[in-house]
Amino acid sequence: MKELIPILDSCTLTDNKRADILVDRLQNYLDKHQNLVFPHRHKFYHFVFFTSGSGSHSIDFNTYEILPGQIYFMSPGQVHTWEFNEDADGYIVNFERDFFQSFLLKPDYLESFSFFTGADHANVKNLPPDIKMEVEQICKRLYVQVNNPTDHNADFQKVLLLSLLMLVEEHTPVVQSPAFQTHNMVVLRNFQNLVEEHYLLKRLPKEYAEMLHLTPNHLNAICKELIGTQAGEVIRERILLEAKRLLVSGEVNISQIANELNFNDNSYFTKFFKKYSGLTPEQFKKEHLA
């Protein structure tokens, strides 16, 4: 079912050139890949840094106006589309999930960056002018490293990319949590990861609380404290997001989506969707495919 929303498997967007990173000027990338279908999702990490231009881009149904000095990030699985005007330029970077696998000891290192959590409020960063200049310089060096066959240093590519990610993260406002919340933050992240893995089959907070060796009340209290919502809403929001992603594929009917998301019947799915989105599935589909 997920294949009904086109999924780009390789970060190079081609089967005959396998690599674990792609770096290109945005205009070049758009010229080369005019056949890209929208909306779509990736199996790799992706970001675009704008040095100039205008237009809009949408990530998981949140639309943002393009501004110079803006950088937006996408994690694997997120759905996006864009409408770039002709003046849009900058750099685009795609890299595979395991790009840093042989370089870093922590397999989940990328998850520590706020902009790779998949949260809609964290995808887009507007950089201060001085940081914009630094990011642009790193992008230029990374572009040369990746695209010059005579000066190809895989480790240096990783160092440059990590320095860019760290620079952006360092200049992203983050609410500092008191030390006593550190354990709760780990629990919350583990809960969110479990929801991502099991939301199609497990719908009850008590099921996740059991996997986390907590009581349902304790899990709810942690969610309420850190993100202002209950555990059940986290699960419902993930189901709703996947429903929206499938609806905008344009090639799947309500019955298929209800079945894919393990609802007993169409009417139950429709009631669920309208209750938590304010629209029927048909209304949402019409609005986003207009």
Side-chain angles (χ1 to χ4, degrees):
M1 178 68 68
K2 288 184 179 180
E3 281 66 24
L4 291 174
I5 298 176
I7 301 177
L8 307 183
D9 292 310
S10 169
C11 72
T12 60
L13 308 191
T14 177
D15 292 329
N16 54 27
K17 183 186 177 185
R18 304 300 296 185
D20 51 9
I21 187 170
L22 176 149
V23 182
D24 207 348
R25 292 299 304 246
L26 181 57
Q27 282 292 342
N28 293 338
Y29 183 89
L30 296 177
D31 289 342
K32 293 174 188 174
H33 303 291
Q34 295 181 24
N35 61 339
L36 276 180
V37 289
F38 296 99
H40 64 255
R41 65 174 109 202
H42 310 142
K43 286 188 176 180
F44 47 85
Y45 289 94
H46 162 89
F47 69 83
V48 178
F49 169 61
F50 292 97
T51 56
S52 63
S54 58
S56 66
H57 56 271
S58 175
I59 305 173
D60 281 337
F61 316 102
N62 294 290
T63 301
Y64 307 91
E65 178 187 357
I66 292 169
L67 299 169
Q70 185 184 78
I71 186 168
Y72 79 83
F73 297 88
M74 281 188 58
S75 300
Q78 290 190 282
V79 172
H80 80 138
T81 186
W82 63 58
E83 292 185 12
F84 298 158
N85 294 332
E86 292 183 0
D87 60 348
D89 202 5
Y91 291 89
I92 189 164
V93 178
N94 300 335
F95 61 99
E96 300 292 349
R97 287 174 179 263
D98 59 356
F99 182 63
F100 293 106
Q101 184 173 356
S102 63
F103 195 71
L104 299 171
L105 292 176
K106 292 177 61 179
D108 59 347
Y109 188 84
L110 288 176
E111 296 178 12
S112 66
F113 292 105
S114 62
F115 40 79
F116 282 142
T117 63
D120 56 25
H121 64 278
N123 288 114
V124 179
K125 307 297 181 187
N126 293 299
L127 304 178
D130 55 335
I131 304 306
K132 172 184 178 293
M133 292 178 62
E134 285 191 60
V135 168
E136 186 169 357
Q137 289 301 315
I138 296 173
C139 284
K140 288 179 180 178
R141 297 182 70 185
L142 188 58
Y143 176 80
V144 170
Q145 267 294 320
V146 171
N147 293 288
N148 187 345
T150 63
D151 188 22
H152 187 88
N153 186 318
D155 284 348
F156 191 36
Q157 293 171 17
K158 294 176 175 64
V159 169
L160 287 170
L161 181 53
L162 271 179
S163 67
L164 186 152
L165 299 178
M166 290 177 172
L167 181 65
V168 173
E169 182 77 350
E170 183 182 357
H171 292 86
T172 297
V174 176
V175 177
Q176 298 297 322
S177 301
F180 67 81
Q181 288 188 347
T182 301
H183 173 70
N184 286 354
M185 290 294 291
V186 172
V187 172
L188 176 63
R189 176 61 65 86
N190 289 340
F191 169 54
Q192 291 170 327
N193 289 340
L194 286 172
V195 171
E196 184 67 28
E197 184 178 355
H198 299 290
Y199 71 93
L200 288 175
L201 297 175
K202 298 183 184 295
R203 303 291 173 86
L204 301 177
K206 68 178 182 180
E207 296 176 287
Y208 293 95
E210 183 176 345
M211 287 189 285
L212 292 165
H213 307 290
L214 302 171
T215 66
N217 285 343
H218 190 184
L219 178 59
N220 268 328
I222 290 174
C223 291
K224 195 72 175 177
E225 174 190 10
L226 296 179
I227 57 176
T229 188
Q230 295 190 333
E233 188 170 343
V234 174
I235 302 166
R236 288 193 296 271
E237 283 297 317
R238 184 61 186 88
I239 298 167
L240 186 64
L241 174 59
E242 195 63 24
K244 290 177 178 179
R245 288 173 170 177
L246 292 171
L247 282 165
V248 300
S249 72
E251 300 179 20
V252 59
N253 61 43
I254 306 303
S255 178
Q256 289 173 301
I257 294 175
N259 182 65
E260 170 69 9
L261 298 179
N262 286 322
F263 285 87
N264 292 331
D265 53 51
N266 293 3
S267 62
Y268 180 34
F269 168 69
T270 298
K271 289 176 182 176
F272 169 88
F273 191 91
K274 185 173 183 180
K275 180 177 180 180
Y276 295 109
S277 75
L279 299 171
T280 66
E282 292 84 358
Q283 288 170 333
F284 180 87
K285 189 171 185 177
K286 182 178 179 180
E287 183 176 298
H288 285 80
L289 293 178

